[in-house]
Amino acid sequence: MSASIISGTEISKTILSEISKEVETIKASHGKVPGLVTLLVGNSPASRSYVTLKIKTALKLGFHEVQDEQPDDISEDALLALIEKYNQDDAINGILVQLPLPKHIDEDKVLNAIDPDKDVDGFHPINAGRLLIGGNAIKFPPCTPAGIQELIVRSGVETKGAEVVVVGRSNIVGKPIANLMLQKGPGANSTVTIVHTGTKNLDTHCRRADILIVAAGVPDLVKPEWIKPGACVIDVGVNRVGERISPKTGRTNAILKGDVDFEKASEIAGSITPVPGGVGPMTITMLMKNTLKSLKYKLGLL
């Protein structure tokens, strides 16, 4: 048996195309486009690279994009004041603060200062509460979990009544995707189990899963024999396990592995995400979708 590949790269392209068309429609009918501000503190190469990709994506979609870069010695009070400025800016629908922040700044204080109705990352406690309540209360689900759900739905996997096992209990992926999958409605209605490092008989739980979502950050944690034949496997892990020199460019590139042994798991699973090219491309895509949703809420379209 050979699993079908769930390509986040291709699915994200489809969703971005949908967003682009909707932006054009709203601009024509309301004279407005989504506004996104990206706040980058310091000059971390990894953070800069990630923010640059977000900026390029937003501009390509026709968003109003504000790139705000601040030195790494900015005071906490100054950063909080900057966030408040964007909270009050009617042209801004989404505020993104790139993490991590310098050690002298309290990340929780900064994230909690963002207006929950502009918190397109979905990390504010109010949005976490909205997600727990479910239904129409949900405004901005965290981007990676929202992307995981889109991958499952758009690849045709049945979720109603399915046994979903989530490996990992982080606030960024594990807890929110569990909450999304147990909601009443399309793309969810599942029976959800969360397992973690303190779980006994981890393999037994995984073998029950019709949909196995692995977000533990441990290379090859899930063994092939833990996978139920025909299951849908979503591998969220992106683990750097070494480096290699590209024969084409001569550059040193990271060797990445997921939390699942992809090659062997592909012989058992019904469908599976690759690493890279699976969940990764969906995170920025869902950030753009949340920013568009924020504008639609403001215009009374949702």
Side-chain angles (χ1 to χ4, degrees):
M1 178 179 183
S2 181
S4 61
I5 305 302
I6 303 174
S7 173
T9 301
E10 293 305 314
I11 291 174
S12 68
K13 286 179 182 177
T14 300
I15 297 173
L16 289 172
S17 177
E18 294 168 358
I19 293 171
S20 181
K21 291 174 183 176
E22 199 164 357
V23 169
E24 290 177 6
T25 300
I26 292 174
K27 184 178 180 180
S29 59
H30 292 81
K32 301 285 186 181
V33 298
L36 175 67
V37 59
T38 49
L39 274 161
L40 176 63
V41 179
N43 198 28
S44 161
S47 292
R48 178 171 295 280
S49 175
Y50 199 39
V51 166
T52 298
L53 185 54
K54 293 173 182 176
I55 293 167
K56 287 181 178 178
T57 305
L59 292 174
K60 188 174 181 180
L61 293 172
F63 284 22
H64 165 58
E65 212 288 329
V66 177
Q67 180 181 4
D68 194 327
E69 298 187 13
Q70 297 294 325
D72 57 12
D73 60 353
I74 186 175
S75 70
E76 183 175 274
D77 287 344
L79 183 57
L80 292 171
L82 195 58
I83 289 171
E84 182 56 25
K85 183 186 83 168
Y86 290 119
N87 281 343
Q88 302 302 322
D89 188 339
D90 286 341
I92 298 299
N93 305 108
I95 300 171
L96 170 73
V97 179
Q98 184 62 42
L99 302 179
L101 293 171
K103 292 182 179 180
H104 68 280
I105 296 176
D106 185 331
E107 289 186 355
D108 287 339
K109 187 182 291 187
V110 169
L111 294 177
N112 292 351
I114 297 172
D115 181 344
D117 291 336
K118 295 188 178 186
D119 167 42
V120 290
D121 256 339
F123 292 154
H124 195 286
I126 287 179
N127 282 320
R130 288 168 170 167
L131 176 59
L132 187 62
I133 292 169
N136 292 331
I138 300 174
K139 279 197 168 183
F140 308 120
C143 300
T144 299
I148 291 168
Q149 188 177 42
E150 288 280 1
L151 289 175
I152 294 169
V153 171
R154 290 182 185 244
S155 59
V157 175
E158 180 58 65
T159 62
K160 184 178 180 180
E163 288 274 356
V164 175
V165 174
V166 179
V167 183
R169 53 182 167 180
S170 73
N171 291 329
I172 296 174
V173 180
K175 292 176 186 175
I177 189 56
N179 275 296
L180 280 174
M181 296 307 295
L182 61 78
Q183 298 296 327
K184 183 181 291 186
N189 252 342
S190 306
T191 300
V192 181
T193 302
I194 301 180
V195 297
H196 46 77
T197 52
T199 301
K200 294 180 180 179
N201 303 316
L202 184 61
D203 57 334
T204 302
H205 290 286
C206 290
R207 287 191 188 98
R208 288 191 294 103
D210 301 309
I211 301 171
L212 181 61
I213 302 169
V214 190
V218 180
D220 293 344
L221 170 68
V222 172
K223 312 305 177 189
E225 57 270 24
W226 295 9
I227 297 171
K228 180 180 181 179
C232 170
V233 179
I234 306 293
D235 190 351
V236 189
V238 181
N239 306 289
R240 187 168 183 156
V241 296
E243 295 180 339
R244 62 183 161 209
I245 298 175
S246 169
K248 292 183 178 180
T249 65
R251 295 178 181 174
T252 300
N253 298 324
I255 300 173
L256 303 177
K257 293 197 75 172
D259 290 352
V260 179
D261 185 331
F262 177 80
E263 297 299 331
K264 293 180 180 178
S266 296
E267 299 173 4
I268 301 168
S271 56
I272 190 170
T273 57
V275 176
V279 175
M282 297 296 293
T283 300
I284 291 178
T285 298
M286 301 315 294
L287 173 69
M288 300 302 142
K289 188 169 184 176
N290 277 349
T291 305
L292 173 60
K293 283 176 67 179
S294 180
L295 173 62
K296 290 168 71 176
Y297 280 121
K298 183 178 179 181
L299 295 175
L301 302 176
L302 286 176

